[in-house]
Amino acid sequence: MDLLKRMILEVGIIQSKDVIRLDAILNHQVNPRLTMEMGKEFASRFRHTHIDKVLTIESSGIPIAFATALEIGVPLVFARRKKTLTTDEDTWSERVPSFTKGIVTDIMVSKSFLQKGERILVVDDIIANGDAARGLIRIIRRAGAEICGMGIAVEKTFQSGGRSIREEGVRVESLVKIASLDQGRIVFE
């Protein structure tokens, strides 16, 4: 997706050979026009797979997943990272490490929002090692739902996440693939 590539080159901040900050468009500040275009693109790639719901993890994946769900015309569900006073006690949950946060968290989805037989599309902003994605896949499967695919805005192909999810037989569609961040340069596939 050319618009996303241009914006990454404009605002992406390379922190190390493994980490790129995209706070200006994805992770802290959201670019609404770009977000809606990403949602349209994912919708066009997955529209014919008969999706019942879009699933993501709070918080950076929510805008893109919302735009996708809106375009497809289905509900959006997001896995929570923290329990609150109003959190449903009857949840599907998994412990997942976060590459960028450097911590392990529990992700939770209320059982009332993820039902047996539903066809689920996972949408997220970035995939690195794929731990969060695998956690969502385990939740979907434990719920008796079907993972129909995964839409990722930015895949870092020099890390194993996207590749390992594909090896599990899950269709992964990435809008942009970054092959390298070496020597302070963004190299796209």
Side-chain angles (χ1 to χ4, degrees), residues 73-86:
V74 298
L76 162 66
V77 177
F78 61 89
R80 294 183 177 269
R81 289 189 184 270
K82 295 179 184 162
K83 277 191 173 188
T84 67
L85 292 175
T86 60

Side-chain angles (χ1 to χ4, degrees), residues 5-36:
K5 281 183 180 179
R6 283 194 311 273
M7 298 208 66
I8 289 170
L9 290 172
E10 248 177 64
V11 304
I13 298 168
I14 299 171
Q15 279 193 221
S16 72
K17 66 181 183 65
D18 294 322
V19 178
I20 183 168
R21 284 186 40 213
L22 298 172
D23 290 355
I25 56 173
L26 292 177
N27 308 111
H28 195 57
Q29 172 175 274
V30 175
N31 180 306
R33 184 174 69 95
L34 174 63
T35 300
M36 291 309 294

Side-chain angles (χ1 to χ4, degrees), residues 31-41 63 66-67 70-71:
N31 180 306
R33 184 174 69 95
L34 174 63
T35 300
M36 291 309 294
E37 289 302 316
M38 289 188 289
K40 286 177 187 173
E41 182 63 27
F66 174 85
L70 179 67
E71 286 295 320

Side-chain angles (χ1 to χ4, degrees), residues 8-9 12-14 20 22 178 180-182 184-188:
I8 289 170
L9 290 172
I13 298 168
I14 299 171
I20 183 168
L22 298 172
I178 296 177
S180 173
L181 297 171
D182 287 341
R185 247 179 80 236
I186 300 167
V187 178
F188 296 111

Side-chain angles (χ1 to χ4, degrees), residues 17-19 156-160 163 178-181 189:
K17 66 181 183 65
D18 294 322
V19 178
K156 295 190 289 181
T157 59
F158 58 89
Q159 291 174 295
S160 64
R163 185 173 50 257
I178 296 177
S180 173
L181 297 171
E189 273 191 24

